[in-house]
C-alpha cells in the first residue's frame, strides 16, 4: 500500500491507497495549489480577486472550486461563507501560517470574549457569486473577493478519491478533511484527536464516505498581549467566532459536505451544533471546557 504526504493549500495532504493507476497524485495537488492559493498573487484565484470586472473568464478548475464553495455556503445556511477574505486579513490571517506554530489553546480560551453562536451575514453576499460554465466565467460584484481555503480541501479530497477508488482502497486526507473508500476490503479506522490532550477522543470505522474536522487550535495566534484570534470568522460580525466549541467533527457522504457541516457545527455553538450533526450524519464535538460530546 502506498502512503505519501504532500504540502498543499497551506496544510499537508496524506494519501493512502492500494495503487495510483493513471492518477498523478503529486501533480494534481501541485496544480490545485498553483491555481487556487490565495497566498500566491499569480494564482487563478488571486487574479480573479484582483480583477475589477464583474464577469471574469475562469479555467474549469477554478470554476469547479468556486461552485464547491457556494455549495458549502448553501449546505450551511450561509455560515460557511467564502466572501470573508477581508475579515480574515483584518484578523491577522493575510499570509500563510503553514509553518507557524499555533498559540496556546488554553491561553487563548482564557482571554476570549463571552461565548455566543455565530450567525450568517444578513447580506448573504455569497449569493451574488455565479459560476457560468457555458461562458467559462465567474461572475460577482466588483471588489467582492473569495477565499476557498476551507471548502477546497474537502473538494480536493473528493476529487482525488473519486479517481483512486477504481484501483482499490484509498483514503485522502487534506488537512483534516478525509474521503474514504474501502471497496471490498476492511473499513478505514479514523481516530478523532482531542485538541486539549492529543489523545483519541473517538474512533469511527468507515467503509465509504467522509469525515472532516474543523477546529480553532491549529490556526490560533496572538495579535497582542492577551489578544488572540483564529481563522473561523463569524459572518455576521466579521471577527473570529468564540462559540464554546474548540473542535467539531462531522460525517457525510462527501468530504466537501462533511467539511461544511463540521465548520457550521463549530460556528453554531454546543447546543445548535449538536442539533445540526444529529439531524445529518453524526459526529463529535469538543467543548472549550474539555467535554467531548459524541453525537449519534
Amino acid at each position: 500500500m502506498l502512503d505519501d504526504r504532500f504540502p498543499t493549500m497551506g496544510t499537508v495532504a496524506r494519501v493512502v491507497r492500494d495503487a495510483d493507476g493513471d492518477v498523478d497524485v503529486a501533480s494534481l495537488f501541485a496544480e490545485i495549489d498553483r491555481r487556487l492559493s490565495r497566498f500566491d498573487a499569480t494564482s487563478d484565484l488571486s487574479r480573479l480577486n484582483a480583477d475589477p470586472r464583474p464577469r471574469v473568464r475562469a479555467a474549469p478548475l477554478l470554476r469547479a472550486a468556486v461552485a464547491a464553495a457556494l455549495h458549502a455556503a448553501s449546505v450551511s445556511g450561509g455560515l460557511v461563507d467564502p466572501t470573508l477574505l477581508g475579515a480574515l486579513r483584518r484578523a491577522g490571517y493575510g499570509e500563510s501560517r503553514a509553518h507557524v506554530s499555533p498559540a496556546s489553546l488554553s491561553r487563548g480560551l482564557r482571554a476570549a470574549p463571552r461565548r455566543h453562536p455565530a450567525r450568517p451575514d444578513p447580506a448573504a453576499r455569497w449569493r451574488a457569486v455565479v459560476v457560468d460554465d457555458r461562458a467559462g466565467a465567474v461572475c460577482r460584484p466588483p471588489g467582492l473577493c473569495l477565499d476557498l481555503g476551507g471548502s477546497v480541501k474537502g473538494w480536493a479530497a473528493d476529487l482525488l478519491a473519486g479517481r483512486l477508488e477504481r484501483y482499490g482502497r484509498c483514503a485522502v486526507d487534506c488537512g483534516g478533511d478525509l474521503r474514504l473508500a474501502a471497496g471490498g476490503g476492511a473499513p478505514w479506522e479514523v481516530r478523532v484527536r482531542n485538541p486539549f490532550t492529543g489523545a483519541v477522543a473517538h474512533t469511527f470505522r468507515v467503509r465509504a464516505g467522509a469525515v472532516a474536522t474543523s477546529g480553532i487550535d491549529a490556526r490560533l495566534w496572538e495579535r497582542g498581549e492577551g489578544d488572540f484570534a483564529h481563522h473561523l470568522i463569524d459572518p455576521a460580525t466579521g471577527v473570529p467566532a468564540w462559540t464554546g466549541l474548540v473542535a467539531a467533527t462531522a460525517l457525510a457522504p462527501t468530504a466537501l459536505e462533511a467539511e461544511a457541516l463540521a465548520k457550521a457545527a463549530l460556528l453554531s455553538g454546543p447546543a445548535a451544533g449538536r442539533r445540526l450533526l444529529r439531524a445529518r450524519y453524526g459526529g463529535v464535538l469538543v467543548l472549550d471546557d474539555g467535554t467531548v460530546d459524541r453525537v449519534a
Side-chain angles (χ1 to χ4, degrees):
M1 180 163 283
L2 304 174
D3 185 348
D4 295 299
R5 289 170 172 80
F6 307 89
T8 186
M9 298 172 280
T11 185
V12 176
R14 181 185 180 191
V15 185
V16 183
R17 67 278 192 204
D18 282 343
D20 283 338
D22 60 352
V23 182
D24 188 337
V25 178
S27 294
L28 180 60
F29 278 126
E31 182 180 13
I32 289 172
D33 212 22
R34 178 171 56 85
R35 291 184 176 275
L36 304 180
S37 172
R38 71 174 175 91
F39 303 118
D40 181 354
T42 67
S43 74
D44 291 3
L45 175 62
S46 293
R47 287 199 295 266
L48 169 66
N49 284 337
D51 199 305
R53 296 171 297 174
R55 177 184 292 267
V56 181
R57 290 194 62 81
L61 193 73
L62 178 58
R63 297 201 309 272
V66 172
L70 298 177
H71 178 70
S74 178
V75 165
S76 65
L79 277 175
V80 181
D81 190 330
T83 67
L84 301 178
L85 180 54
L88 280 167
R89 288 170 172 164
R90 289 191 295 274
Y93 197 13
E95 303 294 333
S96 173
R97 303 188 65 85
H99 304 294
V100 180
S101 297
S104 164
L105 178 58
S106 58
R107 288 187 60 225
L109 291 173
R110 286 196 299 270
R114 184 178 62 86
R115 304 336 187 230
H116 61 83
R119 295 284 184 263
D121 180 358
R125 296 182 301 162
W126 59 273
R127 294 188 183 277
V129 182
V130 176
V131 177
D132 187 342
D133 283 320
R134 292 188 64 182
V138 174
C139 311
R140 81 281 181 263
L144 183 62
C145 295
L146 302 177
D147 170 46
L148 309 180
S151 60
V152 75
K153 294 193 295 293
W155 169 79
D158 290 331
L159 177 67
L160 184 55
R163 296 182 181 183
L164 289 173
E165 63 183 351
R166 74 188 71 173
Y167 302 109
R169 296 174 79 244
C170 66
V172 182
D173 175 7
C174 289
D177 297 351
L178 290 86
R179 180 66 183 267
L180 307 139
W188 290 100
E189 187 175 277
V190 180
R191 299 167 185 166
V192 180
R193 186 182 69 89
N194 186 315
F196 288 102
T197 66
V200 177
H202 188 66
T203 300
F204 294 107
R205 289 174 62 81
V206 181
R207 180 169 295 282
V211 184
T213 296
S214 183
I216 68 173
D217 57 311
R219 295 287 186 272
L220 177 68
W221 60 90
E222 188 170 3
R223 295 184 290 192
E225 188 63 33
D227 180 22
F228 291 81
H230 58 79
H231 69 299
L232 296 175
I233 301 294
D234 181 343
T237 64
V239 300
W242 301 92
T243 69
L245 290 173
V246 297
T249 299
L251 293 140
T254 69
L256 175 63
E257 185 175 0
E259 201 280 335
L261 292 174
K263 185 175 290 184
L266 190 145
L267 291 170
S268 298
R274 191 176 206 283
R275 288 195 297 271
L276 173 63
L277 294 184
R278 188 176 180 86
R280 295 300 182 93
Y281 309 98
V284 176
L285 302 174
V286 182
L287 282 65
D288 60 15
D289 65 1
T291 300
V292 176
D293 185 5
R294 299 170 182 85
V295 184

